[in-house]
Amino acid sequence: MNAYGLSLIMKMGCWCIKEKITVNGKRYVVIQRLAEGGFSVIDLIENASTKRKFALKRVSCHSREDESIAKREIEISKIVQHKNVIDVVDYELRGCADIVLNTVSKLDIVLPYFRNGTLADHLLVRSKTNNYMSEGQILQIFLGICEGLRAFHEASPAPLAHRDLKTANICLSDTMEPIIIDLGSASEARVEVRSQAAAQRLQDLAEERCTITYRPPELFCVNSHCTIDERTDIFSLGCCLYALCYFKSPYDAAYERGDSVALAVMSGNVNFVNNAPYSQGLKSLIESMLSQNIQERPFIGEVIAKTTDLVNKLEHRI
């Protein structure tokens, strides 16, 4: 056999060998890499027995604090159970993280797999041909997002905020039902800030966990004496509704130009595309959620009521 033939067989062998893993006694086969970040990767996996596909989030933890943060997604999933919020299927922690001993632990989290990808993926495809969704389609998807978010805001024993709501953190089911994902940033919604140190801690946390073009103004420059509540999410939700209409957050343009996103957000200016086929009622709903003053933003129940009213008006027009 010549060298070319041997090389070809070796390559074919590599293609055929697939990694096999076990999570809590269940065996899976790794199909392909879906995404990769600083300390975690997400793989498409298949149950070896049922052939059902899942997403596997693999997190490397270098300290006990890393482990605590990684486990947050599992803890929140147990508290917030709703059809529009992702559910952790299974998980397993291997090893022990110790920053002094330089040991690393691995947390494997098995999650549902959504072959339609994220809402951001869907909007990117539509943006290439200016393929606007109808107002009815938008409201249907948006209501699902709202219902999922309400499960956070009405969580027991205390309301929770997602803190990083964006189109890239909303997956689409086979029936185009929105599913809120990436629960690791969620935290208690209501925070009393009573010192400059506390304000700085909250601001630093927002910079770390909350995507800049969906971040509310009060988290860019946290006041040393203020009250933060679940309506931080309402601002991000307003950005998501704007993106459903116009493909991107209202502040993505500033980011892409290299301008200050903080100044763009805190300016209070929201520009709507003139030729897009949306009602004034829908635009007014977006504006109310993007209010600069957190105290003037609606709570999620009011957002759902206004959205339902828009749906009813649309059906009467039809």
Side-chain angles (χ1 to χ4, degrees):
M1 181 180 293
N2 61 30
Y4 174 78
L6 179 60
S7 173
L8 182 60
I9 289 173
M10 290 175 65
K11 287 180 180 179
M12 289 176 67
C14 290
W15 289 337
C16 293
I17 296 172
K18 293 182 178 178
E19 181 186 359
K20 295 177 176 62
I21 62 160
T22 302
V23 179
N24 266 344
K26 297 182 181 69
R27 294 181 296 115
Y28 300 92
V29 177
V30 178
I31 306 299
Q32 67 181 75
R33 179 63 42 89
L34 295 176
E36 194 165 350
F39 297 102
S40 66
V41 298
I42 299 177
D43 290 331
L44 174 63
I45 61 174
E46 183 180 79
N47 185 289
S49 301
T50 66
K51 306 303 179 184
R52 183 179 173 188
K53 290 181 173 58
F54 297 91
L56 176 69
K57 186 172 185 178
R58 302 178 171 190
V59 187
S60 298
C61 305
H62 298 265
S63 66
R64 293 293 177 87
E65 184 182 2
D66 286 351
E67 284 184 3
S68 179
I69 293 170
K71 288 178 180 176
R72 185 69 176 159
E73 186 156 11
I74 299 163
E75 294 165 0
I76 295 297
S77 175
K78 292 176 180 177
I79 297 170
V80 183
Q81 296 192 343
H82 191 275
K83 69 174 185 175
N84 295 109
V85 179
I86 196 167
D87 185 36
V88 171
V89 176
D90 206 348
Y91 65 93
E92 184 174 350
L93 179 66
R94 298 181 178 87
C96 182
D98 193 311
I99 198 167
V100 176
L101 298 175
N102 197 30
T103 56
V104 178
S105 63
K106 303 284 187 179
L107 179 63
D108 289 341
I109 307 175
V110 180
L111 301 165
Y113 170 61
F114 300 102
R115 62 181 180 180
N116 284 331
T118 68
L119 181 57
D121 298 330
H122 182 73
L123 294 174
L124 177 61
V125 172
R126 284 181 168 272
S127 70
K128 292 176 180 178
T129 56
N130 277 342
N131 184 13
Y132 294 110
M133 280 190 279
S134 70
E135 187 159 328
Q137 288 175 300
I138 287 172
L139 293 174
Q140 181 181 10
I141 294 173
F142 183 66
L143 267 177
I145 301 169
C146 289
E147 291 293 354
L149 192 61
R150 176 153 66 176
F152 285 84
H153 294 184
E154 296 182 356
S156 179
L160 295 170
H162 185 280
R163 293 280 195 253
D164 195 22
L165 191 67
K166 57 183 178 179
T167 56
N169 280 342
I170 299 166
C171 279
L172 296 171
S173 72
D174 289 351
T175 58
M176 295 299 285
E177 187 82 12
I179 312 292
I180 298 173
I181 66 168
D182 202 2
L183 313 185
S185 297
S187 60
E188 286 194 16
R190 298 172 185 177
V191 181
E192 299 284 339
V193 179
R194 292 296 177 262
S195 69
Q196 186 57 49
Q200 189 61 54
R201 281 196 299 272
L202 183 57
Q203 189 170 312
D204 290 344
L205 195 61
E207 288 177 5
E208 178 185 335
R209 297 186 181 181
C210 188
T211 301
I212 192 169
T213 54
Y214 288 79
R215 192 184 308 163
E218 63 272 9
L219 294 183
F220 277 99
C221 187
V222 180
N223 193 298
S224 58
H225 285 79
C226 67
T227 300
I228 302 295
D229 61 30
E230 56 267 41
R231 286 173 290 181
T232 54
D233 279 347
I234 298 299
F235 186 92
S236 304
L237 184 65
C239 292
C240 289
L241 180 54
Y242 183 99
L244 276 164
C245 296
Y246 308 111
F247 312 122
K248 295 181 178 182
S249 159
Y251 309 106
D252 274 330
Y255 179 81
E256 290 163 1
R257 290 193 304 266
D259 295 344
S260 169
V261 176
L263 288 178
V265 169
M266 292 188 284
S267 73
N269 295 327
V270 182
N271 298 315
F272 294 101
V273 178
N274 291 328
N275 61 346
Y278 304 122
S279 67
Q280 184 55 50
L282 181 54
K283 295 175 185 177
S284 296
L285 177 57
I286 293 172
E287 288 175 328
S288 71
M289 289 189 286
L290 296 182
S291 172
Q292 292 294 290
N293 186 345
I294 188 173
Q295 301 301 327
E296 294 177 359
R297 282 177 223 145
F299 285 95
I300 190 62
E302 187 179 346
V303 173
I304 290 173
K306 288 182 176 179
T307 304
T308 303
D309 186 52
L310 287 173
V311 170
N312 293 334
K313 288 179 179 176
L314 191 63
E315 288 175 350
H316 285 130
R317 286 204 301 269
I318 295 172

